[in-house]
Amino acid sequence: MLIFVFAVGVLGFRMISEMSWIDAVYMTVITVTTVGYGEVEPLGEIGRIFTVFLIIISVFVFAYAISVITEYILSRSTLRNIIQRKTLKKIRRMENHIIICGFGRNGREASEKLGAHDQEFVIIEKDRDVIERYENSDIPFVEGNASEDEVLEKAGIHQAKCLITALPSDADNLFVVLSARQINNKLLIISRASQESSYKKLKLAGADNVIMPDKIGGEHMASLVVVPDLVEFIDNLSISGKNTTNVEEIKIEDVTTSDEEITLKELDLRRETGCTVIGYKTPEGEYIINPEATLRLAKNSKIIVLGRPEQVELLKQKYDL
């Protein structure tokens, strides 16, 4: 619309007074913008009438353009505020959810795994471009710095069960761990680390687990050289997805209603479902690999089972997991 008015003005001044193209452009600019520097050449009665109409039209066109731009800016801001309010309202209803700090490579991978297991999670991200890129994907975002208590509280840290901090900077992860542990001392905190020297600091700050992606990746590549078949077999074991799960962690209370401690032989998951118990976690947190059939299963302990996807699915159906 603005280009059309400008073109009409240039052609009009050329036709009215036969001035040069440069003068016609100049006259159009000072007329449309109502600057009023003066006429390049004296205009006759027709030229003045044309100028009046050009000024009136340009005023309306500029007003319309400004209103459209303003409406666009306000509508985006309003929409963002509405989405944020809905997200915060949804978070307030969450319990035992997971908070992921940072939506980089590690944060996105963590969210995909949690989504595959139907786990509720909230993302804390300070980069607005990242939030706008994924805001239509039903991922709940909280915009802000994860090391600030107010932002963590918006993400529902008081009722959360776990926090994963996957920020690229070890110093930022350290601040997040300190803040989160101070607010909720029962929270399970998992932190990313890049440097070996950061491992102990993060543990001292309150992190329950510290993961070093670079170290894990290097060890995995070396293992592919030393024991390639074993690593390939382990890679084929899936712990995510509804139809591809091979390994499952189960609470003892979910598979037995007996008040007395029973043994693995009495539980007999192999005969009932085809799954094999390959690990046992005691109530104290100790792990037993390939436990004996005579092992008594204590309360608040867990078993780790291995099976084909259909066997694991049968296990879930039988015990309503």
Side-chain angles (χ1 to χ4, degrees), residues 252-297:
I252 295 301
E253 289 78 10
D254 292 337
V255 294
T256 178
T257 57
S258 175
D259 293 333
E260 298 181 0
E261 295 182 357
I262 64 174
T263 65
L264 281 176
K265 183 177 181 180
E266 293 171 335
L267 185 61
D268 202 8
L269 284 181
R270 178 71 179 176
R271 183 177 63 83
E272 294 288 338
T273 65
C275 295
T276 302
V277 178
I278 60 173
Y280 176 71
K281 182 180 180 181
T282 67
E284 294 75 27
E286 296 181 0
Y287 288 92
I288 300 175
I289 307 299
N290 193 24
E292 294 80 5
T294 56
L295 176 69
R296 292 200 166 272
L297 307 175

Tab-separated table of all heavy atoms in Angstrom, residues 252-297:
chain	number	residue	atom	x	y	z
A	252	ILE	N	9.082	-54.155	44.406
A	252	ILE	CA	8.610	-55.434	44.938
A	252	ILE	C	7.136	-55.349	45.314
A	252	ILE	O	6.366	-56.300	45.104
A	252	ILE	CB	9.458	-55.852	46.157
A	252	ILE	CG1	10.908	-56.124	45.724
A	252	ILE	CG2	8.868	-57.078	46.840
A	252	ILE	CD1	11.039	-57.202	44.682
A	253	GLU	N	6.713	-54.204	45.838
A	253	GLU	CA	5.316	-54.049	46.258
A	253	GLU	C	4.355	-54.151	45.083
A	253	GLU	O	3.160	-54.418	45.288
A	253	GLU	CB	5.125	-52.699	46.965
A	253	GLU	CG	5.766	-52.598	48.339
A	253	GLU	CD	7.272	-52.377	48.281
A	253	GLU	OE1	7.791	-52.121	47.177
A	253	GLU	OE2	7.922	-52.468	49.331
A	254	ASP	N	4.857	-53.964	43.850
A	254	ASP	CA	3.985	-54.031	42.677
A	254	ASP	C	3.736	-55.453	42.197
A	254	ASP	O	2.795	-55.691	41.429
A	254	ASP	CB	4.587	-53.208	41.525
A	254	ASP	CG	4.576	-51.725	41.811
A	254	ASP	OD1	3.754	-51.278	42.637
A	254	ASP	OD2	5.389	-50.999	41.204
A	255	VAL	N	4.559	-56.406	42.638
A	255	VAL	CA	4.429	-57.773	42.126
A	255	VAL	C	4.045	-58.788	43.205
A	255	VAL	O	3.854	-59.962	42.897
A	255	VAL	CB	5.736	-58.229	41.441
A	255	VAL	CG1	5.997	-57.419	40.185
A	255	VAL	CG2	6.920	-58.134	42.395
A	256	THR	N	3.943	-58.355	44.457
A	256	THR	CA	3.519	-59.261	45.517
A	256	THR	C	2.712	-58.497	46.561
A	256	THR	O	3.022	-57.348	46.888
A	256	THR	CB	4.719	-59.933	46.195
A	256	THR	OG1	4.255	-60.770	47.261
A	256	THR	CG2	5.690	-58.921	46.763
A	257	THR	N	1.680	-59.141	47.061
A	257	THR	CA	0.833	-58.536	48.103
A	257	THR	C	1.082	-59.173	49.459
A	257	THR	O	0.425	-58.836	50.442
A	257	THR	CB	-0.660	-58.683	47.739
A	257	THR	OG1	-0.946	-60.081	47.547
A	257	THR	CG2	-0.983	-57.921	46.471
A	258	SER	N	2.002	-60.108	49.507
A	258	SER	CA	2.293	-60.820	50.748
A	258	SER	C	3.029	-59.921	51.729
A	258	SER	O	3.924	-59.151	51.346
A	258	SER	CB	3.136	-62.069	50.451
A	258	SER	OG	3.517	-62.705	51.646
A	259	ASP	N	2.657	-60.007	53.006
A	259	ASP	CA	3.344	-59.230	54.036
A	259	ASP	C	4.691	-59.850	54.386
A	259	ASP	O	5.570	-59.183	54.923
A	259	ASP	CB	2.472	-59.147	55.298
A	259	ASP	CG	1.210	-58.323	55.060
A	259	ASP	OD1	1.253	-57.449	54.187
A	259	ASP	OD2	0.193	-58.582	55.739
A	260	GLU	N	4.850	-61.136	54.083
A	260	GLU	CA	6.102	-61.823	54.366
A	260	GLU	C	7.042	-61.725	53.165
A	260	GLU	O	6.601	-61.643	52.018
A	260	GLU	CB	5.829	-63.297	54.690
A	260	GLU	CG	4.965	-63.502	55.926
A	260	GLU	CD	4.735	-64.971	56.213
A	260	GLU	OE1	5.257	-65.807	55.437
A	260	GLU	OE2	4.052	-65.274	57.204
A	261	GLU	N	8.324	-61.762	53.449
A	261	GLU	CA	9.308	-61.720	52.375
A	261	GLU	C	9.308	-63.042	51.623
A	261	GLU	O	9.373	-64.114	52.230
A	261	GLU	CB	10.703	-61.436	52.940
A	261	GLU	CG	10.840	-60.060	53.568
A	261	GLU	CD	12.244	-59.808	54.072
A	261	GLU	OE1	13.083	-60.737	53.977
A	261	GLU	OE2	12.508	-58.693	54.555
A	262	ILE	N	9.217	-62.958	50.294
A	262	ILE	CA	9.256	-64.160	49.471
A	262	ILE	C	10.574	-64.192	48.707
A	262	ILE	O	11.286	-63.181	48.603
A	262	ILE	CB	8.067	-64.210	48.495
A	262	ILE	CG1	8.147	-63.045	47.492
A	262	ILE	CG2	6.752	-64.209	49.245
A	262	ILE	CD1	7.092	-63.119	46.401
A	263	THR	N	10.879	-65.333	48.134
A	263	THR	CA	12.113	-65.487	47.368
A	263	THR	C	11.835	-65.305	45.878
A	263	THR	O	10.670	-65.316	45.445
A	263	THR	CB	12.729	-66.876	47.600
A	263	THR	OG1	11.825	-67.872	47.079
A	263	THR	CG2	12.976	-67.118	49.082
A	264	LEU	N	12.900	-65.149	45.118
A	264	LEU	CA	12.747	-65.047	43.662
A	264	LEU	C	12.149	-66.317	43.085
A	264	LEU	O	11.363	-66.278	42.131
A	264	LEU	CB	14.110	-64.769	43.013
A	264	LEU	CG	14.632	-63.332	43.063
A	264	LEU	CD1	16.034	-63.260	42.472
A	264	LEU	CD2	13.696	-62.399	42.305
A	265	LYS	N	12.485	-67.463	43.694
A	265	LYS	CA	11.936	-68.723	43.206
A	265	LYS	C	10.436	-68.775	43.416
A	265	LYS	O	9.684	-69.252	42.556
A	265	LYS	CB	12.630	-69.880	43.930
A	265	LYS	CG	12.180	-71.247	43.441
A	265	LYS	CD	12.941	-72.357	44.146
A	265	LYS	CE	12.502	-73.734	43.627
A	265	LYS	NZ	13.231	-74.840	44.300
A	266	GLU	N	9.977	-68.269	44.560
A	266	GLU	CA	8.534	-68.254	44.841
A	266	GLU	C	7.811	-67.254	43.951
A	266	GLU	O	6.663	-67.478	43.558
A	266	GLU	CB	8.299	-67.925	46.318
A	266	GLU	CG	8.784	-69.009	47.265
A	266	GLU	CD	8.751	-68.576	48.716
A	266	GLU	OE1	8.824	-67.345	48.969
A	266	GLU	OE2	8.668	-69.442	49.597
A	267	LEU	N	8.475	-66.164	43.633
A	267	LEU	CA	7.867	-65.178	42.731
A	267	LEU	C	7.724	-65.766	41.325
A	267	LEU	O	6.700	-65.561	40.654
A	267	LEU	CB	8.718	-63.906	42.698
A	267	LEU	CG	8.165	-62.725	41.892
A	267	LEU	CD1	6.823	-62.260	42.450
A	267	LEU	CD2	9.160	-61.569	41.892
A	268	ASP	N	8.744	-66.455	40.862
A	268	ASP	CA	8.734	-67.222	39.612
A	268	ASP	C	8.247	-66.399	38.407
A	268	ASP	O	7.316	-66.785	37.699
A	268	ASP	CB	7.856	-68.465	39.777
A	268	ASP	CG	8.214	-69.544	38.750
A	268	ASP	OD1	9.226	-69.360	38.038
A	268	ASP	OD2	7.483	-70.534	38.651
A	269	LEU	N	8.891	-65.257	38.197
A	269	LEU	CA	8.512	-64.410	37.051
A	269	LEU	C	8.829	-65.082	35.722
A	269	LEU	O	8.150	-64.841	34.720
A	269	LEU	CB	9.244	-63.063	37.136
A	269	LEU	CG	8.739	-62.046	38.152
A	269	LEU	CD1	9.565	-60.768	38.062
A	269	LEU	CD2	7.277	-61.730	37.938
A	270	ARG	N	9.854	-65.928	35.714
A	270	ARG	CA	10.247	-66.589	34.460
A	270	ARG	C	9.112	-67.456	33.918
A	270	ARG	O	8.786	-67.415	32.728
A	270	ARG	CB	11.503	-67.431	34.708
A	270	ARG	CG	11.985	-68.214	33.504
A	270	ARG	CD	12.572	-67.303	32.462
A	270	ARG	NE	13.064	-68.058	31.321
A	270	ARG	CZ	13.565	-67.515	30.226
A	270	ARG	NH1	13.625	-66.202	30.109
A	270	ARG	NH2	13.993	-68.254	29.243
A	271	ARG	N	8.477	-68.226	34.806
A	271	ARG	CA	7.392	-69.097	34.365
A	271	ARG	C	6.129	-68.305	34.063
A	271	ARG	O	5.385	-68.613	33.125
A	271	ARG	CB	7.097	-70.149	35.434
A	271	ARG	CG	6.011	-71.160	35.030
A	271	ARG	CD	5.838	-72.200	36.110
A	271	ARG	NE	5.370	-71.591	37.336
A	271	ARG	CZ	4.071	-71.320	37.588
A	271	ARG	NH1	3.153	-71.595	36.679
A	271	ARG	NH2	3.723	-70.788	38.730
A	272	GLU	N	5.887	-67.239	34.849
A	272	GLU	CA	4.648	-66.475	34.709
A	272	GLU	C	4.650	-65.576	33.472
A	272	GLU	O	3.619	-65.426	32.808
A	272	GLU	CB	4.428	-65.613	35.958
A	272	GLU	CG	4.182	-66.392	37.233
A	272	GLU	CD	2.813	-67.049	37.250
A	272	GLU	OE1	1.933	-66.582	36.502
A	272	GLU	OE2	2.621	-68.025	37.993
A	273	THR	N	5.792	-64.985	33.171
A	273	THR	CA	5.823	-63.981	32.092
A	273	THR	C	6.919	-64.214	31.058
A	273	THR	O	6.885	-63.598	29.986
A	273	THR	CB	6.025	-62.570	32.690
A	273	THR	OG1	7.315	-62.497	33.308
A	273	THR	CG2	4.951	-62.250	33.722
A	274	GLY	N	7.904	-65.053	31.379
A	274	GLY	CA	9.029	-65.241	30.481
A	274	GLY	C	10.182	-64.301	30.746
A	274	GLY	O	11.267	-64.460	30.167
A	275	CYS	N	10.003	-63.321	31.625
A	275	CYS	CA	11.066	-62.356	31.946
A	275	CYS	C	12.044	-62.948	32.952
A	275	CYS	O	11.671	-63.751	33.812
A	275	CYS	CB	10.468	-61.069	32.520
A	275	CYS	SG	9.454	-60.152	31.346
A	276	THR	N	13.297	-62.549	32.840
A	276	THR	CA	14.353	-63.036	33.725
A	276	THR	C	14.838	-61.908	34.626
A	276	THR	O	15.090	-60.787	34.157
A	276	THR	CB	15.539	-63.573	32.907
A	276	THR	OG1	15.080	-64.615	32.043
A	276	THR	CG2	16.643	-64.094	33.817
A	277	VAL	N	14.970	-62.200	35.917
A	277	VAL	CA	15.479	-61.204	36.864
A	277	VAL	C	16.998	-61.174	36.755
A	277	VAL	O	17.673	-62.182	37.007
A	277	VAL	CB	15.047	-61.538	38.304
A	277	VAL	CG1	15.636	-60.511	39.281
A	277	VAL	CG2	13.533	-61.571	38.417
A	278	ILE	N	17.546	-60.037	36.372
A	278	ILE	CA	18.996	-59.925	36.189
A	278	ILE	C	19.650	-59.046	37.251
A	278	ILE	O	20.878	-58.969	37.319
A	278	ILE	CB	19.333	-59.351	34.798
A	278	ILE	CG1	18.727	-57.945	34.627
A	278	ILE	CG2	18.857	-60.289	33.704
A	278	ILE	CD1	19.158	-57.245	33.366
A	279	GLY	N	18.831	-58.374	38.068
A	279	GLY	CA	19.406	-57.501	39.081
A	279	GLY	C	18.446	-57.271	40.237
A	279	GLY	O	17.227	-57.438	40.102
A	280	TYR	N	19.012	-56.923	41.379
A	280	TYR	CA	18.218	-56.659	42.584
A	280	TYR	C	18.821	-55.456	43.309
A	280	TYR	O	20.041	-55.381	43.489
A	280	TYR	CB	18.225	-57.889	43.492
A	280	TYR	CG	17.511	-57.696	44.816
A	280	TYR	CD1	16.133	-57.599	44.880
A	280	TYR	CD2	18.240	-57.601	45.998
A	280	TYR	CE1	15.479	-57.429	46.094
A	280	TYR	CE2	17.606	-57.429	47.221
A	280	TYR	CZ	16.218	-57.345	47.268
A	280	TYR	OH	15.568	-57.161	48.457
A	281	LYS	N	17.960	-54.522	43.707
A	281	LYS	CA	18.404	-53.351	44.463
A	281	LYS	C	17.821	-53.418	45.862
A	281	LYS	O	16.597	-53.460	46.039
A	281	LYS	CB	17.955	-52.056	43.772
A	281	LYS	CG	18.436	-50.800	44.477
A	281	LYS	CD	17.975	-49.540	43.757
A	281	LYS	CE	18.470	-48.286	44.481
A	281	LYS	NZ	18.015	-47.043	43.816
A	282	THR	N	18.688	-53.443	46.853
A	282	THR	CA	18.257	-53.540	48.243
A	282	THR	C	17.648	-52.222	48.707
A	282	THR	O	17.855	-51.180	48.065
A	282	THR	CB	19.445	-53.899	49.148
A	282	THR	OG1	20.370	-52.792	49.160
A	282	THR	CG2	20.160	-55.150	48.655
A	283	PRO	N	16.909	-52.236	49.821
A	283	PRO	CA	16.368	-50.969	50.353
A	283	PRO	C	17.464	-49.966	50.691
A	283	PRO	O	17.221	-48.756	50.713
A	283	PRO	CB	15.616	-51.415	51.613
A	283	PRO	CG	15.272	-52.847	51.367
A	283	PRO	CD	16.423	-53.399	50.572
A	284	GLU	N	18.679	-50.446	50.955
A	284	GLU	CA	19.806	-49.553	51.268
A	284	GLU	C	20.466	-48.992	50.022
A	284	GLU	O	21.382	-48.159	50.127
A	284	GLU	CB	20.854	-50.290	52.103
A	284	GLU	CG	20.389	-50.705	53.499
A	284	GLU	CD	19.449	-51.900	53.471
A	284	GLU	OE1	19.557	-52.698	52.514
A	284	GLU	OE2	18.620	-52.040	54.391
A	285	GLY	N	20.047	-49.450	48.840
A	285	GLY	CA	20.587	-48.905	47.602
A	285	GLY	C	21.706	-49.727	46.997
A	285	GLY	O	22.314	-49.302	46.010
A	286	GLU	N	22.007	-50.900	47.543
A	286	GLU	CA	23.055	-51.757	47.002
A	286	GLU	C	22.486	-52.633	45.884
A	286	GLU	O	21.327	-53.055	45.935
A	286	GLU	CB	23.649	-52.633	48.095
A	286	GLU	CG	24.354	-51.843	49.197
A	286	GLU	CD	24.939	-52.756	50.254
A	286	GLU	OE1	24.796	-54.004	50.119
A	286	GLU	OE2	25.531	-52.244	51.222
A	287	TYR	N	23.330	-52.916	44.888
A	287	TYR	CA	22.900	-53.704	43.742
A	287	TYR	C	23.517	-55.102	43.790
A	287	TYR	O	24.698	-55.270	44.125
A	287	TYR	CB	23.291	-53.021	42.431
A	287	TYR	CG	22.471	-51.799	42.117
A	287	TYR	CD1	22.880	-50.536	42.523
A	287	TYR	CD2	21.269	-51.910	41.404
A	287	TYR	CE1	22.123	-49.410	42.237
A	287	TYR	CE2	20.507	-50.789	41.114
A	287	TYR	CZ	20.936	-49.543	41.531
A	287	TYR	OH	20.183	-48.442	41.253
A	288	ILE	N	22.693	-56.069	43.432
A	288	ILE	CA	23.157	-57.449	43.315
A	288	ILE	C	22.896	-57.891	41.877
A	288	ILE	O	21.751	-57.879	41.414
A	288	ILE	CB	22.427	-58.383	44.303
A	288	ILE	CG1	22.678	-57.934	45.743
A	288	ILE	CG2	22.863	-59.834	44.098
A	288	ILE	CD1	21.903	-58.738	46.776
A	289	ILE	N	23.959	-58.242	41.169
A	289	ILE	CA	23.837	-58.689	39.787
A	289	ILE	C	23.561	-60.191	39.748
A	289	ILE	O	24.188	-60.959	40.480
A	289	ILE	CB	25.129	-58.375	38.996
A	289	ILE	CG1	25.482	-56.881	39.137
A	289	ILE	CG2	24.955	-58.750	37.533
A	289	ILE	CD1	24.436	-55.937	38.607
A	290	ASN	N	22.615	-60.608	38.915
A	290	ASN	CA	22.254	-62.012	38.747
A	290	ASN	C	21.993	-62.676	40.104
A	290	ASN	O	22.698	-63.612	40.514
A	290	ASN	CB	23.363	-62.760	37.995
A	290	ASN	CG	22.899	-64.130	37.530
A	290	ASN	OD1	21.706	-64.387	37.355
A	290	ASN	ND2	23.856	-65.040	37.338
A	291	PRO	N	20.996	-62.207	40.835
A	291	PRO	CA	20.730	-62.738	42.185
A	291	PRO	C	20.297	-64.209	42.161
A	291	PRO	O	19.724	-64.697	41.180
A	291	PRO	CB	19.599	-61.839	42.688
A	291	PRO	CG	18.918	-61.355	41.450
A	291	PRO	CD	20.001	-61.212	40.434
A	292	GLU	N	20.570	-64.910	43.273
A	292	GLU	CA	20.193	-66.314	43.394
A	292	GLU	C	18.689	-66.454	43.575
A	292	GLU	O	18.017	-65.544	44.047
A	292	GLU	CB	20.910	-66.970	44.593
A	292	GLU	CG	22.412	-67.078	44.445
A	292	GLU	CD	23.143	-65.786	44.761
A	292	GLU	OE1	22.450	-64.828	45.199
A	292	GLU	OE2	24.365	-65.716	44.560
A	293	ALA	N	18.176	-67.623	43.249
A	293	ALA	CA	16.736	-67.878	43.370
A	293	ALA	C	16.287	-67.882	44.817
A	293	ALA	O	15.107	-67.647	45.107
A	293	ALA	CB	16.394	-69.215	42.711
A	294	THR	N	17.212	-68.118	45.743
A	294	THR	CA	16.862	-68.169	47.166
A	294	THR	C	16.866	-66.792	47.826
A	294	THR	O	16.585	-66.687	49.023
A	294	THR	CB	17.845	-69.088	47.907
A	294	THR	OG1	19.192	-68.610	47.685
A	294	THR	CG2	17.740	-70.518	47.413
A	295	LEU	N	17.198	-65.745	47.072
A	295	LEU	CA	17.259	-64.388	47.633
A	295	LEU	C	15.871	-63.948	48.086
A	295	LEU	O	14.894	-64.048	47.333
A	295	LEU	CB	17.800	-63.409	46.595
A	295	LEU	CG	17.831	-61.942	47.010
A	295	LEU	CD1	18.885	-61.704	48.099
A	295	LEU	CD2	18.119	-61.039	45.814
A	296	ARG	N	15.770	-63.461	49.320
A	296	ARG	CA	14.502	-62.966	49.843
A	296	ARG	C	14.331	-61.492	49.451
A	296	ARG	O	15.247	-60.695	49.601
A	296	ARG	CB	14.426	-63.137	51.355
A	296	ARG	CG	14.347	-64.588	51.776
A	296	ARG	CD	13.807	-64.773	53.180
A	296	ARG	NE	13.446	-66.162	53.416
A	296	ARG	CZ	12.258	-66.681	53.129
A	296	ARG	NH1	11.317	-65.913	52.598
A	296	ARG	NH2	12.004	-67.958	53.375
A	297	LEU	N	13.142	-61.185	48.986
A	297	LEU	CA	12.847	-59.848	48.472
A	297	LEU	C	12.271	-58.984	49.588
A	297	LEU	O	11.142	-59.195	50.034
A	297	LEU	CB	11.860	-59.952	47.304
A	297	LEU	CG	12.271	-60.911	46.175
A	297	LEU	CD1	11.169	-61.022	45.134
A	297	LEU	CD2	13.571	-60.447	45.534
